[in-house]
Structure formats: structure tokens, C-alpha cells
Amino acid sequence: MPTEAQINANRLNAQKSTGPITPEGKAASSLNALKSGIDAWSHIIPGEDPAELEALTAQFLLHYKPTGPTQLSLVDTLISTEWIQRRLRRVEAQLWNYSVECLDQNLTHAEFVDASVQHNSPLGHSYQEALDPFARLQRRIDGTNRMYLRTLKVLQDLQAAASTPVSEPPSSMPAHPLTPPIGFVPPTVPESGEPAHASHGNQQFALARESGVYPTVAYQPLKETAARALSRLTGC
């Protein structure tokens, strides 16, 4: 059972813990809900530092700020390919050193102690002797670089699409209703079965109504009927 002094010491230690301070640490803690798939120990081979991979992971997460599992997976791919690229560059340097060492091992004792022979174009001889390993290594470097660039393009397009606001489709309805103005009288179109003279007569009566002067012929039957009625009343 802890003593009172131990409990007080634990409380003091807890107060000293203020969380991450560096930008890399803050970036990693801000993404606690999204766990990166990069495991330092599973990606490390002898001669590599796990802390260096952890720092690289924090830098990528801070820079790209992935949202959602898809973006996080793409960022993990970028981290992995970048880490492999650094490893391949070290392999290339060690391949050069190894090839030079092999040249020294193929020399005789007299050639080895002869400085003019020992240092006569060592890199050219090393490349000639290890041409196939260098070619296979370069293909691996090129393939990893292509993977990095393709993944980066997909991630940038995905983040650009997420930040672009969705525009509403244009409405098919007209902005203003197609209603005739007030006072507009559409022209009367005669039906196919109506004779042409009937339409002509309608136009004459329309013009007479607007002018107030009606044709005499149109009212001649009315005048004759009124005259006959008047004669019957007066007996004339």
C-alpha cells in the first residue's frame, strides 16, 4: 500500500506533465483519434533510428493534416515511401564502398602496396564490377519515387475537392414568369373552320368599338324594325 509521501509525490509529478510542447508533438497528439499505420519498429532495420521515423511521421501529419481514414492512409504511404527512399540512398552509398573494398581484395600484394595501382579510377572500376546491382537499385529508387508522386497527387486532389464548396445546379425555371403585361390583348386567331370574312368582320367591329363610330350597314335592320313598330303605334 502506497504511503502518504508516495501519494503526494505522484500528485506533484502529475502536475508537471503539461503535454506535448514541440510542434511535432502537438501534431501527433492532435491526431490521437486517427492512428497512423506507421509502426517504427516494424519499419526499422539494423542501422536505422526509430526516433527518426517517429519524427518523420509527426512532420508529415503536421503538414498534411489528414481528415478521415482515406487521407490518413495516403499520408502513411507517403511516409513509408519517403523512408524507403532514404534507406535506398544509404544502400547506394554502401554499395559504392563495398565495391571499392572488393577491388582492394582482388589486388595482389604488390598491387595493393602500389599507390598508383590502388587509386587508379576506383569508382569506375567499382561501377563496372557492380553494374547489375547498381541498375537494380536504381529501378527500385525510380519505382518508389513514382509511388510517392502518384500518392501525393491523389492526396492533393482529395483535399482540394473537400475544400471546394459545392455549387447548386442552375434552376430550370425562368427567373421571371412569362405573363403578358397588363392591358395587353392577344390577337384573335381564327379557327381553321371559321370563314375568312367572319374574321374580317370581327376586325371591323373591333375597330368600330375603339373609334366609337359603327358602320351604318351593321345597324340597318334595327332601324327598319324600329320604324315598323312606330307606325303600328301611331296607326300610320
Side-chain angles (χ1 to χ4, degrees):
M1 183 175 180
T3 63
E4 187 68 23
Q6 291 176 340
I7 295 175
N8 293 332
N10 291 334
R11 290 175 179 174
L12 292 176
N13 292 332
Q15 294 176 357
K16 295 179 181 179
S17 177
T18 58
I21 299 177
T22 63
E24 292 79 5
K26 291 181 180 180
S29 63
S30 65
L31 297 171
N32 286 334
L34 293 175
K35 298 297 184 181
S36 173
I38 299 298
D39 182 12
W41 291 106
S42 63
H43 287 72
I44 292 299
I45 61 176
E48 296 178 342
D49 186 5
E52 185 179 353
L53 179 57
E54 292 178 356
L56 179 66
T57 302
Q59 291 173 0
F60 270 73
L61 294 176
L62 177 63
H63 180 75
Y64 290 105
K65 297 180 177 61
T67 57
T70 301
Q71 293 189 18
L72 181 62
S73 177
L74 293 173
V75 173
D76 284 348
T77 303
L78 292 179
I79 298 171
S80 178
T81 51
E82 172 61 23
W83 186 253
I84 293 175
Q85 283 279 47
R86 297 184 182 188
R87 177 184 299 165
L88 294 177
R89 295 303 180 186
R90 291 193 298 269
V91 171
E92 184 181 26
Q94 293 181 12
L95 181 59
W96 280 110
N97 295 332
Y98 175 76
S99 299
V100 173
E101 292 175 358
C102 289
L103 288 179
D104 293 340
Q105 293 175 1
N106 294 331
L107 296 177
T108 63
H109 178 72
E111 293 173 339
F112 183 81
V113 297
D114 189 350
S116 62
V117 174
Q118 185 178 6
H119 301 288
N120 187 14
S121 303
L123 294 181
H125 286 289
S126 300
Y127 184 78
Q128 180 64 30
E129 294 296 329
L131 185 59
D132 183 65
F134 275 113
R136 288 189 283 111
L137 178 61
Q138 187 61 46
R139 286 195 297 269
R140 181 70 188 279
I141 292 175
D142 294 341
T144 307
N145 187 51
R146 287 193 298 269
M147 172 64 72
Y148 182 93
L149 295 178
R150 286 197 300 264
T151 305
L152 179 61
K153 180 64 168 56
V154 173
L155 177 62
Q156 290 175 341
D157 292 344
L158 189 61
Q159 291 183 338
S163 61
T164 302
V166 179
S167 58
E168 297 182 358
S171 177
S172 58
M173 298 297 294
H176 302 285
L178 300 177
T179 56
I182 299 176
F184 173 76
V185 179
T188 304
V189 180
E191 298 181 357
S192 58
E194 184 179 356
H197 63 84
S199 177
H200 180 67
N202 291 337
Q203 294 179 359
Q204 288 183 343
F205 279 104
L207 294 174
R209 184 174 58 183
E210 294 178 359
S211 62
V213 179
Y214 295 89
T216 305
V217 178
Y219 289 88
Q220 188 65 30
L222 296 177
K223 290 181 179 180
E224 293 176 355
T225 303
R228 286 195 297 268
L230 182 61
S231 61
R232 285 195 298 268
L233 293 176
T234 57
C236 299

